[in-house]
Amino acid sequence: FSPLVRGKFGRPYHFYPVVSSTNDVAKELARQGAPEGALVVAEEQTGGRGRLGRAWHSPPGGLWFSLVLRPPVSPAATQSLPVLLSLAVTDGVAAFPLPSVEVKWPNDIVYQGKKVGGILVELGAEAEAVHFVVAGIGLNVNITSFPAPLEKTATSLQKIAGEALSRPQLLSAILAAAERYYSCWCREGFAPFREDYERRLCLLGREVEICCGGSVARGTVAGVDAEGRLVLVSPDGTKRRFVGGEVTFKQK
Ligand code: BTN
């Protein structure tokens, strides 16, 4: 299938029935000089990857794609890209008559606590210069069942909607939102997106634990800052900011 492409996200377009990981294909294309906006889509991934070295279940019926980006920013500034792109994905989904999905910082798309999608941003950088970024996006679209361990934690847009969705239309809507957000982000950073992001954030005001670099912090989520970092208020009232990590709801 192919999306309707109006801007530069989606050109050139590469479709594969099966690949190991669209991120790996896009990285190779980027190394060979693919322009910003180049898109790799696969019907199925046999070696789909998630954050923290996890495998990403990618059967036919999902939306598995990777975009090549060449942002004019430092490697550190790319930390808010997954946060920004998760917002663009929820915007794309909002183009369909569906109950709204939420974002779970830093890179998850969730519905009623179950994961619907995720984003894996990988960098080609050297000596403080970003050569390219590959932004891999995975969305469980027309998937009707999951293997046993995932059934409790994952869901799909088809399950939410009660019917299959048009993936080309969804991809077009996500690409359009992503391109609009990204061009603003290149000029102004994440700050203009803070409020929108917080409105879609399933964690706001919730007591959480965040596991980051081997240590665990607890607190209440106050929101995100202008760099897309998660702001946590500790029980003693101090504010801490996190650039990455694994957030879980605190057990009462
Ligand atoms: C996560 O939630 O941990 C991130 C999941 C990212 C999955 C997408 S699917 C398209 C692209 N190719 C991959 O191998 N991973 C990303």
Side-chain angles (χ1 to χ4, degrees), residues 20-24 45 47-52 54 56 58 63-66 107-108 115 117-120 122 135-139:
S20 169
S21 158
T22 54
N23 264 33
D24 292 344
Q45 297 185 117
R49 293 184 283 110
R51 282 170 73 230
L52 312 169
R54 293 179 185 141
W56 181 261
S58 323
L63 195 47
W64 324 123
F65 66 98
S66 302
N107 72 326
D108 288 353
K115 190 150 166 164
I119 292 159
L120 178 67
E122 297 184 297
I137 299 180
L139 256 187

Side-chain angles (χ1 to χ4, degrees), residues 177-199:
E179 184 162 349
R180 217 172 48 241
Y181 290 5
Y182 173 78
S183 64
C184 173
W185 175 89
C186 284
R187 294 187 309 266
E188 301 175 46
F190 186 76
F193 300 97
R194 260 179 89 177
E195 281 182 19
D196 244 16
Y197 186 82
E198 286 178 349
R199 266 196 291 276

Side-chain angles (χ1 to χ4, degrees), residues 65-215:
F65 66 98
S66 302
L67 266 171
V68 174
L69 303 174
R70 298 191 181 273
V73 302
S74 68
T78 61
Q79 272 155 358
S80 59
L81 253 183
V83 184
L84 179 90
L85 292 172
S86 65
L87 187 62
V89 171
T90 62
D91 242 36
V93 173
F96 288 77
L98 279 175
S100 52
V101 294
E102 294 178 307
V103 289
K104 178 169 177 260
W105 186 92
N107 72 326
D108 288 353
I109 315 295
V110 296
Y111 177 73
Q112 293 182 346
K114 288 189 167 184
K115 190 150 166 164
V116 181
I119 292 159
L120 178 67
V121 166
E122 297 184 297
L123 246 58
E126 197 184 329
E128 283 306 295
V130 175
H131 295 305
F132 63 82
V133 167
V134 164
I137 299 180
L139 256 187
N140 302 329
V141 185
N142 298 328
I143 296 177
T144 49
S145 66
F146 292 89
L150 287 178
E151 196 62 56
K152 282 202 185 94
T153 57
T155 190
S156 71
L157 295 179
Q158 174 164 0
K159 283 186 157 198
I160 299 169
E163 61 184 12
L165 272 69
S166 157
R167 287 177 294 163
Q169 263 182 36
L170 180 58
L171 179 55
S172 309
I174 294 172
L175 290 176
E179 184 162 349
R180 217 172 48 241
Y181 290 5
Y182 173 78
S183 64
C184 173
W185 175 89
C186 284
R187 294 187 309 266
E188 301 175 46
F190 186 76
F193 300 97
R194 260 179 89 177
E195 281 182 19
D196 244 16
Y197 186 82
E198 286 178 349
R199 266 196 291 276
R200 311 256 180 96
L201 182 62
C202 69
L203 304 168
L204 204 62
R206 301 279 302 264
E207 301 262 302
V208 299
E209 278 184 356
I210 176 161
C211 197
C212 183
S215 66

